[in-house]
């Protein structure tokens, strides 16, 4: 179903064609000056330039053509503005007929842009063994909104969290555990055979260290340990029991990993020998050291459990929980193919692929495939991930929702993927970058102590503020505690998400909890309040026996809201085209404001004219559906009452 502007465009295209003018110039859009016109067409000016005529003369010819063919009574006024703008106003009957059509459409006119085409969205990207923090917020919120938006217009969306689980930090953590708990079976040197790392048929000149592979992994006589977090780094292993049946279970907690991670990272920065030990552990993990792999799998499991709690609290969903490590086995054959193609070359002991072009206006360094020590980089795993995605999913688009400061990295990866034939030109590769979330001082958001705030702490702060705001506004006072708590959570999440999404994706923004949780102004809670207000109005109408009409009777005070509701398909298409949820935020706020104005000017429940009352109730219900649809696309849930 077309929007009103799209319907008018089709009519205007016929007029342009009848006059021998290019129909592509006939586009009709919502007027930027509602006081002078509802819609406008600017096509007379480019048409006049091509025809070498005066634009106002062309505009008048178009108007005459539209009026002569207006047998259905579409136009109430057509006029020329400025140098040749065609100002358009339509009849109430035309708007009312469109509203009735919209009311019968379960999709509210939302277009089906790409039925069944697969899109892979890569967002979230938290790191294993590290607490999620505010830096993960924007990727998660924007990515999930795009997931909902693209799914709404017909794409088969696959959301992949793409965990950071395979780089140097893993070697740092593993080596730290080995230092603290050398008697763990993961690090056992008993009955081992020295295995040289596998090399390709044509070995590279890269020093890949040898690692130890236990010849026996009999766990029937191993001890069970319990770890407790100790910030001073002292050994925290306590032998519980020596059993003959239970497998070794270190019971590592997320809290313990959060202590180990920064401790090991700092130790490696301060001590070159310690850093070298971590480097060796990283390479051995990537080359298949069984003990390291098993411990690493434990880290991943514990970390995922913690991540899911945060994502569930935000209402963020993923279809895949893959990480960098999941594509490790694809790296060697991928690199071999690049070598066979003559694209991979040695550079100071490393293996790289050149991605620079002659027309580059800035330096684009080669993409490193293997470091000098044989370890892989983020670029390597990202390239192998593209191999995996093309083989498994055959997508039409792959979109990365990652900090825009990673732009160079993705430019290198995308160019390497095209050059190596990993991703054909027909498949879209997009880095949908975003700006930073800053504090009131304009710098990246920190805690009062100057550290990076955990995501769960941020959510808890917002929920506390949501409770406070409800109390201030005297809302949800008579509700059961559980329902009141659910509403406070929805207010908090609406505040966090809308404050983020209302900004142009690439822009930085300031996080201000007091402002974003207010029930006034352009905020998530304000939108919730207006949506709940409409629900309450419709419940009261039902209680009084009033019914919504199937047809619309429009007065002057009804028209602005009716016209605004007709814009949803165009707004969604624009948001999809630019991967920009802020377009929907702007639209939702306009709808809420226009409804507030309509509510203040019009009699609804107190209207004595039954037909007009039924029409206005139908307009209220249609507004509620629009807000529900748009807020759902933003990942914001609406309470039933407040």
């Amino acid at each position: 179903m077309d929007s009103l502007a799209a319907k008018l465009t089709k009519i205007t295209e016929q007029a342009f064609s009848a006059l021998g003018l290019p129909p592509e110039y006939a586009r009709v859009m919502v007027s930027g000056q509602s006081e002078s016109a509802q819609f406008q067409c600017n096509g007379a000016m480019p048409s006049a330039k091509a025809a070498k005529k005066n634009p106002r003369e062309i505009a008048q010819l178009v108007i005459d053509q539209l009026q002569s063919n207006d047998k259905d009574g579409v136009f109430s006024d057509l006029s020329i503005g400025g140098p040749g703008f065609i100002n358009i106003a339509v009849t109430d009957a035309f708007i009312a007929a469109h509203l009735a059509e919209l009311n019968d459409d379960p999709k509210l006119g939302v277009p089906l842009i790409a039925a069944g085409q697969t899109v892979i969205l890569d967002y979230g990207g938290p790191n294993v063994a590290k607490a999620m923090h505010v830096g993960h917020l924007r990727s998660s919120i924007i990515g999930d909104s795009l997931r909902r938006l693209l799914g709404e217009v017909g794409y088969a969306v696959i959301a992949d969290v793409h965990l950071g689980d395979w780089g140097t930090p893993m070697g740092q953590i593993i080596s730290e555990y080995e230092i603290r708990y050398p008697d763990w079976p993961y690090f056992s040197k008993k009955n081992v055979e020295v295995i040289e790392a596998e090399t390709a048929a044509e070995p590279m000149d890269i020093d890949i260290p040898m690692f130890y592979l236990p010849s026996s992994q009999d766990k029937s006589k191993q001890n069970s340990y319990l770890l407790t977090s100790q910030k001073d780094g002292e050994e925290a292993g306590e032998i519980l029991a020596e059993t003959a049946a239970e497998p070794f279970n270190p019971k590592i907690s997320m809290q313990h990993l959060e202590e180990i991670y920064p401790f090991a990272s700092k130790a490696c920065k301060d001590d070159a020998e310690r850093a070298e030990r971590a480097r060796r552990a990283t390479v051995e993990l990537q080359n298949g050291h069984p003990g390291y792999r098993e411990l690493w799998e434990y880290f991943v499991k514990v970390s995922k459990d913690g991540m899911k709690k945060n994502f569930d609290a935000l209402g963020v969903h993923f279809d895949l929980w893959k990480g960098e490590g999941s594509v490790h086995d694809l790296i060697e054959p991928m690199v071999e193919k690049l070598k066979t193609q003559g694209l991979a070359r040695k550079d100071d002991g490393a293996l790289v692929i050149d991605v620079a072009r002659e027309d580059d206006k800035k330096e684009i360094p080669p993409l490193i495939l293997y470091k000098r020590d044989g370890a892989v980089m983020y670029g390597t795993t990202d390239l192998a991930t593209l191999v995996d995605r093309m083989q498994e999913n055959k997508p039409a688009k792959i979109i990365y929702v990652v900090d825009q400061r990673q732009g160079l990295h993705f430019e290198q990866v995308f160019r390497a993927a095209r050059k190596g034939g990993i991703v054909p030109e027909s498949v879209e590769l997009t880095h949908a970058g975003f700006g930073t979330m800053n504090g009131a001082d304009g710098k990246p958001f920190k805690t009062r102590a100057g550290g990076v705030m955990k995501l769960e702490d941020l959510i808890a702060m917002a929920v506390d503020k949501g409770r406070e705001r409800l109390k201030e506004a005297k809302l949800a006072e008579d509700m059961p505690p559980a329902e009141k708590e659910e509403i406070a959570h929805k207010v908090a999440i609406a505040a966090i998400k809308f404050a983020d999404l209302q900004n142009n994706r690439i822009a930085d923004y300031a996080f201000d909890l007091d402002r974003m949780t207010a029930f006034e102004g352009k905020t998530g809670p304000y939108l919730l309040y207006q949506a709940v207000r409409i629900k309450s109005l419709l419940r009261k109408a039902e209680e009084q026996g009033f019914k919504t009409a199937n047809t619309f009777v429009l007065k002057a005070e009804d028209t602005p809201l009716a016209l605004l509701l007709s814009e949803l398909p165009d707004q969604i298409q624009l948001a999809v085209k630019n991967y920009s949820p802020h377009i929907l935020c702007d639209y939702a706020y306009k709808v809420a404001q226009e409804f507030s104005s309509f509510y203040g000017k019009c009699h609804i429940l107190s209207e004595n004219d039954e037909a007009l009352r039924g029409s206005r109730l139908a307009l209220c219900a249609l507004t509620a559906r629009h807000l529900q649809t748009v807020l759902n696309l933003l990942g914001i849930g609406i309470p039933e009452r407040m």
Side-chain angles (χ1 to χ4, degrees):
M1 176 183 167
D2 292 328
S3 67
L4 273 178
K7 288 179 177 178
L8 293 172
T9 295
K10 289 180 179 178
I11 295 171
T12 309
E13 283 175 345
Q14 293 174 356
F16 271 59
S17 295
L19 294 167
L21 301 174
E24 59 268 23
Y25 293 147
R27 179 170 173 262
V28 174
M29 65 192 76
V30 174
S31 174
Q33 297 179 322
S34 57
E35 66 278 0
S36 59
Q38 295 168 341
F39 301 92
Q40 69 183 53
C41 173
N42 301 335
M45 287 175 284
S47 297
K49 185 177 181 181
K52 296 181 180 179
K53 292 184 178 181
N54 186 292
R56 290 180 65 89
E57 180 185 347
I58 295 292
Q60 189 59 56
L61 289 172
V62 173
I63 288 173
D64 292 343
Q65 184 71 27
L66 289 171
Q67 288 175 332
S68 65
N69 290 334
D70 189 21
K71 297 180 176 57
D72 297 326
V74 172
F75 303 105
S76 64
D77 186 58
L78 292 164
S79 63
I80 303 173
F85 303 120
I86 301 172
N87 293 326
I88 302 170
V90 296
T91 62
D92 288 343
F94 182 65
I95 300 172
H98 179 79
L99 284 181
E101 189 181 351
L102 194 62
N103 202 36
D104 290 338
D105 184 359
K107 293 275 289 180
L108 295 174
V110 175
L112 191 65
I113 293 175
Q117 287 188 42
T118 298
V119 174
I120 295 177
L121 271 171
D122 184 316
Y123 61 96
N127 296 312
V128 162
K130 190 174 183 181
M132 287 185 67
H133 54 78
V134 294
H136 296 112
L137 190 65
R138 296 213 71 188
S139 177
S140 303
I141 290 175
I142 296 170
D144 191 67
S145 180
L146 292 179
R147 176 186 68 82
R148 295 164 183 266
L149 181 59
L150 293 169
E152 185 72 12
V153 298
Y155 285 102
V157 184
I158 300 172
D160 186 357
V161 70
H162 198 66
L163 302 173
D165 65 354
W166 204 237
T168 301
M170 295 300 99
Q172 292 175 343
I173 297 167
I174 288 170
S175 56
E176 183 62 29
Y177 272 113
E178 189 164 11
I179 291 169
R180 296 189 187 190
Y181 315 112
D183 56 340
W184 278 11
Y186 307 113
F187 315 124
S188 174
K189 300 294 190 294
K190 296 178 182 178
N191 302 317
V192 298
E193 37 185 342
V194 178
I195 307 295
E196 185 170 356
E198 292 183 6
T199 57
E202 295 180 11
M204 295 182 295
D205 249 352
I206 295 177
D207 178 23
I208 303 179
M210 296 185 293
F211 62 88
Y212 293 104
L213 175 66
S215 58
S216 171
Q217 292 192 7
D218 181 9
K219 297 182 180 179
S220 62
K221 296 183 179 180
Q222 293 170 348
N223 296 324
S224 290
Y225 288 81
L226 172 66
L227 294 184
T228 57
S229 178
Q230 303 241 343
K231 293 189 176 180
D232 60 4
E234 292 178 359
E235 180 166 323
E238 179 185 351
I239 300 177
L240 295 179
E242 183 168 346
T243 65
E246 292 187 11
F248 180 77
N249 182 3
K251 295 186 179 178
I252 298 171
S253 68
M254 193 64 214
Q255 290 74 20
H256 197 262
L257 286 172
E258 289 171 18
E259 179 268 319
I260 285 275
Y261 197 150
F263 183 92
S265 177
K266 185 177 185 305
C268 291
K269 287 178 183 176
D270 295 343
D271 186 343
E273 186 177 337
R274 176 69 183 82
E276 174 61 19
R277 182 165 183 166
R279 184 195 66 77
R280 289 197 304 270
T282 302
V283 176
E284 292 181 21
L285 168 70
Q286 294 176 355
N287 285 337
H289 186 300
Y292 289 1
R293 283 287 182 98
E294 191 169 345
L295 189 57
W296 167 77
E297 287 171 2
Y298 203 106
F299 298 161
V300 172
K301 180 185 181 303
V302 170
S303 299
K304 277 185 183 178
D305 291 342
M307 293 169 192
K308 287 178 180 178
K309 289 179 183 177
N310 281 295
F311 287 129
D312 287 347
L314 283 173
V316 170
H317 168 81
F318 294 97
D319 301 297
L320 299 177
W321 285 79
K322 290 186 175 182
E324 298 163 319
S326 65
V327 297
H328 183 74
D329 291 343
L330 298 175
I331 291 175
E332 185 178 349
M334 176 190 74
V335 172
E336 282 303 306
K337 184 176 180 181
L338 292 173
K339 288 169 63 181
T340 302
Q341 293 171 302
L343 299 176
R345 66 174 178 85
K346 297 173 188 175
D347 183 5
D348 194 25
L351 193 72
V352 304
I353 176 172
D354 292 311
V355 293
R357 298 171 183 159
E358 289 184 3
D359 59 349
D360 286 334
K361 297 199 170 36
K362 62 179 181 180
E363 183 182 358
I364 307 292
L367 181 72
I368 298 174
L369 300 171
Y370 282 121
K371 294 165 64 178
R372 294 180 65 184
D373 60 7
V376 298
M377 302 278 284
Y378 293 124
T380 324
T381 55
D382 279 347
L383 202 58
T385 297
L386 285 171
V387 172
D388 181 48
R389 288 168 175 169
M390 293 307 300
Q391 290 177 351
E392 295 295 320
N393 310 113
K394 299 177 175 56
K397 301 173 185 278
I398 304 174
I399 304 166
Y400 294 80
V401 185
V402 181
D403 189 325
Q404 63 185 355
R405 290 173 292 186
Q406 297 296 315
L408 175 60
H409 168 78
F410 284 107
E411 182 67 25
Q412 291 173 292
V413 172
F414 293 169
R415 288 189 182 190
R418 301 289 194 204
K419 195 170 183 179
I422 293 169
V423 180
E425 292 291 342
S426 59
V427 175
E428 177 187 326
L429 291 174
T430 294
H431 171 213
F434 55 82
T436 58
M437 184 180 100
N438 299 326
D441 58 359
K443 298 177 181 179
F445 188 80
K446 302 282 186 181
T447 64
R448 289 183 180 179
V452 178
M453 181 175 287
K454 289 184 181 181
L455 187 53
E456 61 189 84
D457 292 340
L458 181 75
I459 295 171
M461 280 173 52
V463 173
D464 286 343
K465 184 62 73 171
R467 293 191 199 99
E468 184 182 317
R469 291 299 194 192
L470 288 171
K471 186 175 181 180
E472 288 172 0
K474 297 183 178 179
L475 296 170
E477 289 184 308
D478 59 343
M479 296 181 186
E483 186 177 2
K484 190 183 293 188
E485 188 65 16
E486 182 185 352
I487 293 171
H489 184 83
K490 285 185 174 178
V491 167
I493 298 304
I496 290 172
K497 288 189 173 183
F498 193 81
D500 187 302
L501 295 172
Q502 70 171 301
N503 302 281
N504 191 320
R505 172 169 48 77
I506 63 173
D508 299 342
Y509 80 97
F511 185 89
D512 184 339
L513 195 56
D514 285 330
R515 182 184 58 78
M516 67 175 59
T517 54
F519 280 101
E520 306 85 29
K522 192 176 181 182
T523 68
Y526 170 76
L527 294 177
L528 293 190
Y529 177 76
Q530 292 295 354
V532 171
R533 186 187 198 183
I534 302 173
K535 288 186 178 184
S536 176
L537 174 66
L538 294 172
R539 278 197 299 269
K540 288 178 182 178
E542 187 176 2
E543 289 167 2
Q544 295 178 43
F546 297 152
K547 294 184 178 179
T548 58
N550 295 320
T551 57
F552 291 84
V553 180
L554 299 179
K555 299 294 183 181
E557 53 268 35
D558 307 327
T559 304
L561 179 59
L563 287 171
L564 188 59
L565 295 183
S566 79
E567 293 181 30
L568 179 61
D570 294 338
Q571 298 291 332
I572 285 183
Q573 286 193 67
L574 190 59
V576 169
K577 179 182 177 182
N578 297 293
Y579 304 131
S580 296
H582 81 274
I583 292 167
L584 296 184
C585 292
D586 290 344
Y587 178 68
Y589 182 59
K590 286 178 184 176
V591 169
Q593 279 190 309
E594 197 58 61
F595 174 80
S596 185
S597 176
F598 163 80
Y599 184 83
K601 290 185 294 187
C602 298
H603 293 287
I604 303 175
L605 296 182
S606 60
E607 177 57 54
N608 294 321
D609 185 323
E610 185 178 348
L612 182 56
R613 183 180 63 232
S615 172
R616 285 178 173 166
L617 284 172
L619 195 55
C620 290
L622 198 54
T623 303
R625 287 176 60 197
H626 275 69
L627 284 176
Q628 181 82 45
T629 296
V630 177
L631 290 178
N632 180 62
L633 293 177
L634 298 174
I636 295 173
I638 304 173
E640 281 302 308
R641 56 180 187 157
M642 209 181 261

